[in-house]
Amino acid sequence: MKGECVCTTISDYVGGRYLTREEIVKEIVQNYNAELLFCEEVNGITSYYAYTRDWSDGIYLYGRKVNLHVAIGEENLAVGAPIIFGGY
């Protein structure tokens, strides 16, 4: 399966606004009309997995269909669909 991903810095994403990492993820999930399903942290990167009915594709993780993946670290942010394949 092929995925799509975009990466940026947190400072570029917020553009001068003050947002916590959790607020950034909440904003992204809401922008895509998605439901946050679960998250995990590995090597200082927190991955948030969500599902939106607006997109037909997805993969199953832990028994749930996922098609939106947000990964956020200290300085960087990545958003992928259905998930981020490879590194971020």
Side-chain angles (χ1 to χ4, degrees), residues 21 40-47 72-74 88:
R21 292 168 41 164
E40 64 183 357
E41 186 172 340
V42 178
N43 295 329
I45 305 292
T46 305
S47 285
I72 191 165
E74 280 297 313
Y88 38 83

Side-chain angles (χ1 to χ4, degrees), residues 6-63:
V6 65
C7 300
T8 189
T9 64
I10 292 172
S11 61
D12 282 345
Y13 177 81
V14 297
R17 300 177 293 162
Y18 177 78
L19 295 174
T20 66
R21 292 168 41 164
E22 290 77 18
E23 290 169 329
I24 292 168
V25 172
K26 183 178 178 179
E27 181 176 273
I28 293 168
V29 169
Q30 286 178 342
N31 285 343
Y32 288 102
N33 193 32
E35 172 191 2
L36 185 60
L37 302 173
F38 51 88
C39 65
E40 64 183 357
E41 186 172 340
V42 178
N43 295 329
I45 305 292
T46 305
S47 285
Y48 298 84
Y49 300 92
Y51 175 76
T52 177
R53 290 186 176 129
D54 295 343
W55 304 336
S56 60
D57 64 343
I59 64 168
Y60 284 88
L61 295 174
Y62 307 114

Side-chain angles (χ1 to χ4, degrees), residues 58-74:
I59 64 168
Y60 284 88
L61 295 174
Y62 307 114
R64 303 290 303 266
K65 190 173 183 179
V66 172
N67 58 8
L68 177 62
H69 180 188
V70 180
I72 191 165
E74 280 297 313

